[in-house]
């Protein structure tokens, strides 16, 4: 039970004197106030009638310094208490922060902090000293920590707010919120706010809302305010803890200022060859508002607005641009006015007055340049029918020199693959070869126009040529592979639907007919560019069946009309229900395409030509062998490692036979082996040397079977004009000679040995020396 001494302790200066104790007590509620009553007035509500414990809720102030002896805050009482019993505490802070003595007094042993823990729940027990058993059941009670004003308000960091300029009075700028760790249900934790400056423009209420006091906030005059704010607890009382912070209030811009030109006159120079869209210059304007709020509009004087245009850039200034080409030879200077206007959300006195530059004069000087030729059109469109043409001309291009010099213009097409040629002087366009729309339906190329002068300028024009279709392609059969007859098909069954395709731009309708009637199938034109193949009679079998081919004539309906006959092969198949194809009879290909026939014929002709060439070559070689003469025989070295026996050696060489060969043109070698090769010789033994050389050259060039000429040595031929006659041994033999060689002695000492060999008297020879 709380004693009167505890009440006296609560009224000491530890809680802001007696008045603060009263305030704290009033804020505690009915249970707390009841527990603070004198001991002679026990609470009938909190008293536990079913048990023997008698005690009340206990209270203790935070931050109370520890005392010695410890401060008593209450007492445990039980009707079963005696000298043989003691009290014991358990629970939060038991025997550490709180303790109980033998008399049941509850003592505080430490300094408490309500902001860390505001109440403690403990259990009380009474124990017999002798047997250490519980005398009564444990009971639970609460110790409440009472708050004192030991914390100051705290502001969050970096407080800032914003409001648009010219906002009405009473507009809320922002809300400031400070916190106090003390009990918010008491004056210790309640906060009031106060502005320390800027009170002529703003105010703050108890909720922390900053409110405007005027309607004439102007960002262009001041865009930011720094306001000091004080937060204090214990509202309405001079004492208490406080804190101060600085709040930044930004004034947001609105479009409340009009745009004006910075100067009254603008001058620009522009070359006459400037392209359309060229930026001529910037018309700078002045607007005090921020860029995102600027909204000026520009207007060019009538008649000139067709030649020039004006748009805003990112800075909201006017960009003057070119809308039509300039021509120095026509107009050299342009002078016109430009107006600027802006609709603002508010009206200021600064936006009015005669001195505002809302109109400016613009002067543009055109600078002359040497311009390239100018085509009459930037793009030309022509068309021509495909196929053979009667008149190759398709049109003409035209260009001129815009300068005062007026050079002549020549035309050309630089693309060598272009199917169109251009007249270099007149600019007439004509096709160079026959065009086929199915290969190329249109052509695009450039025509070059250049001044007919050294280093003349060039320009280009795009030409598009469309090839117009004519009906020059025959229709083709489609979907033919999907036509087949099943063994189970009945007469009248549609065994397939065919269509047609035409490479031409055929807007007409295809017509289908049978070129040759069929006893098994009929054709029905569906009048929608398709046709059905209908079975006339059934009974087809894959085992006993022949190939079925329909000749279908297709007309394309064009002008002139083209027709084609297409072969449709119809297969005989085994089918599942629903004409689902399972197996089809394969037929050997009995026909042959034209291209295959041409290939075979070409191979046959090639083989025949090769055979003829071989026969002619063999015949030529045979004629050469027949015309060979046996009259010309050459000595041939049979062995190179033996020494000959001279002219007396007739075993190896029969000189008589060789001698007769010079005089007998019909000489032919015998059947026996011969040591001498038979070679071709001139027609006569005393023929022309030039003739012989040509024969030998021809033989070396064409006779692959002949012995290489560099192994042959001619002995049986001598020029017809030689005074010495033949020196060959072919005219002499071992049996004697009918020739007189005495004339060799007249030739001098160089022929002495030769004269001795041929039987000249040696004495005569010696006497000559």
């Amino acid at each position: 039970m709380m004693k009167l001494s505890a009440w006296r302790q609560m009224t000491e200066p530890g809680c802001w004197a007696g008045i603060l104790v009263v305030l704290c007590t009033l804020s505690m509620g009915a249970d707390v106030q009841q527990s603070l009553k004198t001991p002679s007035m026990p609470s009938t509500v909190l008293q536990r009638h079913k048990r023997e414990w008698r005690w009340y809720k206990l209270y203790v102030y935070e931050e109370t310094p520890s005392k010695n002896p410890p401060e008593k805050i209450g007492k445990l009482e039980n009707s079963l208490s005696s000298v043989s019993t003691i009290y014991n505490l358990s629970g939060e802070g038991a025997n550490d922060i709180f303790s109980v003595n033998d008399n049941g007094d509850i003592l505080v042993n430490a300094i408490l902090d309500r902001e860390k823990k505001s109440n403690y729940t403990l259990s009380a027990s009474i124990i017999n000293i002798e047997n250490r058993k519980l005398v009564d059941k444990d009971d639970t009670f609460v110790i409440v920590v009472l708050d004192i004003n030991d914390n100051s308000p705290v502001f969050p960091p970096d407080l800032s707010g914003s409001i648009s300029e010219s906002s009405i009075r009473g507009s809320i700028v922002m809300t400031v919120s400070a916190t106090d760790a003390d009990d918010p249900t008491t004056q210790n934790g309640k906060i009031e706010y106060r502005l320390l400056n800027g009170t002529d423009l703003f105010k703050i209420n108890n909720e922390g809302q900053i409110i405007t006091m005027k309607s004439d906030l102007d960002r262009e005059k001041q865009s930011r305010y720094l306001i000091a704010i004080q937060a204090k607890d214990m509202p309405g009382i001079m004492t208490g803890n406080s804190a101060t912070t600085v709040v930044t209030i930004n004034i947001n811009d609105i479009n409340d200022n009009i745009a004006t030109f910075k100067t009254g006159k603008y001058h620009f120079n522009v070359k006459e060859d400037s392209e359309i869209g060229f930026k001529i210059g910037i018309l700078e304007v002045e607007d005090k508002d921020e860029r995102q709020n600027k909204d000026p509009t520009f207007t060019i004087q009538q008649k000139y607005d067709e030649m020039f245009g004006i748009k805003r850039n990112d800075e909201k200034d006017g960009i003057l641009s070119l809308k039509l080409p300039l021509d120095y030879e026509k107009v050299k200077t342009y002078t016109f006015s430009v107006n600027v206007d802006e609709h603002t959300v508010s009206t200021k006195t600064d936006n009015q007055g005669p001195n505002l530059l809302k109109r400016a004069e613009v002067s543009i000087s055109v600078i002359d340049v040497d311009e390239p030729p100018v085509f009459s059109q930037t793009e030309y469109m022509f068309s021509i029918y495909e196929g053979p043409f009667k008149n190759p001309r398709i049109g003409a291009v035209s260009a001129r020199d815009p300068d005062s010099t007026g050079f002549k213009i020549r035309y050309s097409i630089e693309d060598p693959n272009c199917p169109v040629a251009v007249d270099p002087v007149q600019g007439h366009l004509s096709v160079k070869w026959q065009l086929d729309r199915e290969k190329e339906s249109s052509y695009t190329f450039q025509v070059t126009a250049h001044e007919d002068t050294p280093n003349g300028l060039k320009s280009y024009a795009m030409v598009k040529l469309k090839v117009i279709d004519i009906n020059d392609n025959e229709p083709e059969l489609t979907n033919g592979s999907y036509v087949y007859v099943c063994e189970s098909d009945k007469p009248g069954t549609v065994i397939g639907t065919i269509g047609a395709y035409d490479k031409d731009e055929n807007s007409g309708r295809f017509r289908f007919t049978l070129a040759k009637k069929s006893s098994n199938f009929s054709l029905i034109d569906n009048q929608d560019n398709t046709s059905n193949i209908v079975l006339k009679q059934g009974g087809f079998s894959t085992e006993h069946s022949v190939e079925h081919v329909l000749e279908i004539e297709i007309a394309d309906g064009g002008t002139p009309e083209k027709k084609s006959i297409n072969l449709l092969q119809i297969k005989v198949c085994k089918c599942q229900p629903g004409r689902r194809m399972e197996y089809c009879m394969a037929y050997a290909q009995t026909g042959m395409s034209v291209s295959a026939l041409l290939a075979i014929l070409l191979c046959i002709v090639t083989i025949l030509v090769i055979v003829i060439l071989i026969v002619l070559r063999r015949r030529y070689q045979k004629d050469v062998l027949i015309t060979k003469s046996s009259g010309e025989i050459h000595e041939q070295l049979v062995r190179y490692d033996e020494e000959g026996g001279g002219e007396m050696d007739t075993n190896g060489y029969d000189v008589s036979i060789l001698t007769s060969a010079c005089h007998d043109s019909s000489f032919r070698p015998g059947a026996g082996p011969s040591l001498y090769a038979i070679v071709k010789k001139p027609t006569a033994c005393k023929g022309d040397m030039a003739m012989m050389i040509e024969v030998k050259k021809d033989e070396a060039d064409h006779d692959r079977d002949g012995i290489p000429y560099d192994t042959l040595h001619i002995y049986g031929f001598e020029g017809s004009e030689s005074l010495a006659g033949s020196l060959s041994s072919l005219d002499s033999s071992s049996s004697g000679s009918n020739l007189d060689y005495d004339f060799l002695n007249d030739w001098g000492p160089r022929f002495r040995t030769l004269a001795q060999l041929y039987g000249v008297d040696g004495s005569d020879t010696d006497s000559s020396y």
Side-chain angles (χ1 to χ4, degrees):
M1 177 182 292
M2 182 75 70
K3 302 297 183 179
L4 291 175
S5 59
W7 170 256
R8 293 190 186 97
Q9 294 174 2
M10 294 175 60
T11 59
E12 291 180 355
C15 188
W16 306 94
I19 186 171
L20 184 58
V21 175
V22 175
L23 294 174
C24 292
T25 304
L26 292 174
S27 63
M28 292 178 183
D31 293 343
V32 177
Q33 295 176 21
Q34 183 67 27
S35 64
L36 292 177
K37 294 181 180 180
T38 59
S40 60
M41 298 176 64
S43 174
T44 60
V45 178
L46 298 178
Q47 186 175 2
R48 301 179 181 269
H49 301 285
K50 294 182 180 182
R51 295 188 181 182
E52 302 300 331
W53 288 100
R54 296 191 299 273
W55 57 272
Y56 304 96
K57 187 179 290 186
L58 304 180
Y59 298 89
V60 61
Y61 279 99
E62 64 171 333
E63 304 297 340
T64 301
S66 300
K67 296 179 181 181
N68 191 13
E71 180 182 0
K72 174 184 174 182
I73 62 172
K75 184 176 180 63
L76 296 177
E77 291 182 333
N78 191 289
S79 59
L80 301 177
S81 176
S82 66
V83 294
S84 61
T85 60
I86 60 173
Y87 294 98
N88 187 31
L89 289 179
S90 62
E92 298 175 340
N95 302 319
D96 180 17
I97 300 176
F98 306 102
S99 62
V100 62
N101 57 20
D102 295 340
N103 298 325
D105 297 329
I106 299 176
L107 307 176
V108 179
N109 303 317
I111 299 175
L112 303 179
D113 188 353
R114 191 202 67 84
E115 284 72 40
K116 293 183 178 178
K117 191 169 183 62
S118 60
N119 56 73
Y120 295 85
T121 302
L122 296 95
S123 295
S125 59
I126 183 170
I127 302 173
N128 188 293
I129 299 175
E130 296 178 356
N131 55 20
R132 307 303 296 178
K133 292 183 178 180
L134 292 176
V135 177
D136 194 2
K137 294 182 179 180
D138 293 350
D139 202 3
T140 302
F141 65 95
V142 177
I143 298 177
V144 178
V145 181
L146 299 178
D147 181 53
I148 66 172
N149 192 16
D150 59 341
N151 290 281
S152 298
V154 177
F155 284 101
D158 302 329
L159 290 175
S160 64
S162 62
I163 189 171
S164 298
E165 61 178 331
S166 301
S167 296
I168 61 174
R169 179 179 178 179
S171 300
I172 298 177
V173 180
M174 60 179 296
T175 299
V176 177
S177 179
T179 58
D180 195 323
D182 291 325
D183 189 356
T185 62
T186 67
Q187 293 293 94
N188 299 336
K190 295 181 178 180
I191 300 174
E192 64 179 356
Y193 301 94
R194 183 168 66 94
L195 298 183
L196 302 181
N197 69 318
T199 54
D200 58 331
L201 299 174
F202 306 98
K203 67 177 181 179
I204 189 169
N205 56 23
N206 291 332
E207 286 75 24
Q209 295 177 339
I210 300 177
I211 303 172
T212 59
M213 297 287 290
K214 294 183 178 181
S215 302
D216 57 353
L217 293 176
D218 192 349
R219 187 200 66 85
E220 286 73 37
K221 293 181 179 179
Q222 186 170 348
S223 60
R224 187 177 63 174
Y225 294 90
L226 300 177
I227 304 299
I229 301 177
Q230 182 189 64
K232 188 184 76 69
D233 55 17
M234 303 293 291
I237 301 176
M238 295 301 296
T239 58
N241 299 324
S242 64
T244 303
T245 189
V246 176
V247 175
T248 301
I249 299 177
N250 297 309
I251 307 302
N252 296 332
D253 181 57
I254 62 173
N255 187 15
D256 57 348
N257 293 278
I258 65 171
T260 58
F261 288 110
K262 289 186 176 181
T263 180
K265 292 185 178 181
Y266 295 90
H267 181 266
F268 305 102
N269 294 322
V270 185
K271 294 182 179 180
E272 65 170 332
D273 61 347
S274 298
E275 297 181 355
I276 295 177
F278 173 75
K279 295 181 180 179
I280 299 174
I282 300 177
L283 305 182
E284 294 183 348
V285 297
E286 184 176 7
D287 192 337
K288 296 179 181 180
D289 294 325
E290 293 181 346
R291 184 174 63 181
Q292 70 272 12
N293 294 318
K294 296 179 181 180
D295 189 24
T297 57
F298 299 90
T299 305
I300 299 178
Q301 182 180 345
Q302 288 186 356
K303 188 180 73 172
Y304 295 95
D305 56 355
E306 298 177 357
M307 177 67 67
F308 305 99
I310 188 168
K311 295 181 179 180
R312 296 185 308 192
N313 60 8
D314 294 338
E315 300 297 331
K316 304 302 176 68
D317 295 324
I319 302 296
L320 193 64
S321 60
L322 192 62
K323 295 174 65 175
L324 295 177
L326 299 174
D327 192 347
Y328 175 83
E329 286 71 26
K330 293 181 178 179
V331 180
K332 297 178 174 59
T333 303
Y334 295 88
T335 302
F336 53 91
S337 62
V338 178
N339 294 335
V340 61
D341 194 10
E342 185 175 9
H343 298 285
T344 60
V345 297
S346 65
T347 303
K348 288 185 178 181
T349 56
D350 297 342
N351 295 339
Q352 302 175 0
N355 296 326
L356 297 177
L357 293 176
K358 294 186 178 181
R359 174 177 294 183
E361 182 181 286
V362 178
S363 177
I364 297 177
S365 298
V366 182
I367 300 176
D368 186 27
V369 295
D370 186 10
E371 299 176 273
V374 178
F375 280 93
S376 59
Q377 299 175 219
T378 57
E379 184 176 284
Y380 292 85
M381 297 286 294
F382 300 106
S383 61
I384 187 173
Y385 283 98
E386 65 173 329
F389 47 81
K390 298 179 180 179
N391 183 8
R393 182 177 297 181
I394 62 175
V397 296
S398 176
R400 64 178 182 84
D401 184 5
D403 297 320
S404 57
T405 53
F407 291 118
K408 292 183 179 180
I409 305 300
R410 295 189 65 84
Y411 305 93
S412 62
I413 297 177
E414 299 177 358
D415 185 6
N417 299 321
C418 180
V420 179
V422 61
D423 186 291
V425 178
Q426 301 296 329
H428 295 154
L429 300 175
S430 57
V431 292
K432 295 187 291 186
W433 56 74
Q434 180 175 312
L435 303 181
D436 188 353
R437 189 203 65 86
E438 285 70 40
K439 293 182 178 179
E440 194 75 32
S441 61
S442 63
Y443 296 89
T444 301
F445 54 92
Q446 281 186 339
V447 177
T448 304
H450 55 90
E451 298 173 343
D452 192 6
T453 181
N455 301 323
L457 299 179
K458 296 181 179 181
S459 63
Y460 304 89
M462 189 68 65
V463 178
K464 294 183 178 180
L465 176 61
K466 179 181 179 181
V467 182
I468 303 175
D469 181 56
I470 62 174
N471 194 26
D472 58 345
N473 290 278
E474 296 179 352
E476 301 175 7
L477 180 69
T478 61
N479 299 331
S481 60
Y482 298 100
V483 180
Y484 59 92
V485 59
C486 296
E487 293 179 332
S488 59
D489 284 345
K490 303 299 181 181
T493 302
V494 177
I495 64 173
T497 301
I498 59 173
Y501 167 74
D502 195 337
K503 296 179 180 179
D504 297 318
E505 294 179 347
N506 185 8
S507 59
R509 185 181 62 81
F510 294 107
R511 298 196 312 275
F512 301 86
T513 56
L514 287 177
K516 182 184 296 185
K517 292 185 178 180
S518 173
S519 59
N520 296 320
F521 308 97
S522 62
L523 185 144
I524 300 177
D525 194 337
N526 296 328
Q527 307 296 321
D528 59 353
N529 293 332
T530 62
S531 180
N532 292 336
I533 307 299
V534 181
L535 186 64
K536 286 185 177 181
Q537 57 185 2
F540 288 89
S541 174
T542 57
E543 297 179 357
H544 306 286
S545 180
V546 296
E547 183 179 13
H548 302 279
V549 178
L550 293 181
E551 295 184 7
I552 300 176
E553 181 182 84
I554 305 176
D556 59 9
T559 304
E561 188 176 63
K562 290 286 184 178
K563 297 181 180 180
S564 65
I565 296 178
N566 300 265
L567 300 181
L568 175 62
Q569 184 180 13
I570 300 177
K571 300 173 289 185
V572 179
C573 306
K574 289 183 179 293
C575 300
Q576 297 179 359
R579 299 193 82 250
R580 289 179 297 172
M581 186 167 51
E582 179 179 0
Y583 164 76
C584 295
M585 181 66 182
Y587 298 101
Q589 184 69 30
T590 58
M592 186 174 297
S593 63
V594 177
S595 58
L597 290 174
L598 291 177
I600 295 174
L601 182 61
L602 181 62
C603 293
I604 294 175
V605 171
T606 303
I607 294 173
L608 290 176
V609 171
I610 293 174
V611 171
I612 292 173
L613 291 176
I614 293 174
V615 171
L616 291 177
R617 178 175 178 80
R618 290 184 177 275
R619 185 173 182 179
Y620 172 77
Q621 292 177 349
K622 183 177 180 181
D623 292 341
V624 171
L625 292 176
I626 293 175
T627 57
K628 285 184 178 181
S629 174
S630 62
E632 182 179 2
I633 304 299
H634 300 277
E635 291 181 355
Q636 181 179 12
L637 297 178
V638 178
R639 296 183 61 183
Y640 295 91
D641 58 349
E642 69 175 351
E643 184 177 355
E647 294 187 13
M648 299 302 296
D649 185 5
T650 59
N651 294 326
Y653 303 95
D654 190 354
V655 180
S656 61
I657 297 177
L658 298 177
T659 302
S660 62
C662 181
H663 305 282
D664 188 2
S665 60
S666 62
F667 173 78
R668 291 292 184 272
S674 176
L675 297 178
Y676 303 97
I678 301 176
V679 297
K680 188 177 180 181
K681 61 166 286 180
T683 56
C685 187
K686 297 182 179 181
D688 187 13
M689 177 62 69
M691 178 75 68
M692 185 274 297
I693 293 174
E694 291 298 328
V695 171
K696 293 299 179 181
K697 287 171 59 180
D698 181 73
E699 182 179 311
D701 291 339
H702 297 89
D703 189 2
R704 293 182 300 173
D705 300 329
I707 299 174
Y709 183 70
D710 56 359
T711 64
L712 300 178
H713 305 279
I714 300 175
Y715 296 96
F717 182 79
E718 188 68 39
S720 59
E721 301 300 323
S722 174
L723 298 176
S726 176
L727 300 178
S728 174
S729 61
L730 297 177
D731 291 335
S732 62
S733 66
S734 59
S735 59
S737 176
N738 56 357
L739 297 178
D740 186 6
Y741 295 101
D742 292 339
F743 62 89
L744 294 176
N745 294 322
D746 299 333
W747 288 7
R750 294 184 178 181
F751 294 90
R752 183 182 59 183
T753 303
L754 184 62
Q756 293 177 355
L757 291 175
Y758 285 88
V760 181
D761 189 2
S763 61
D764 297 339
T765 305
D766 295 336
S767 63
S768 62
Y769 290 98

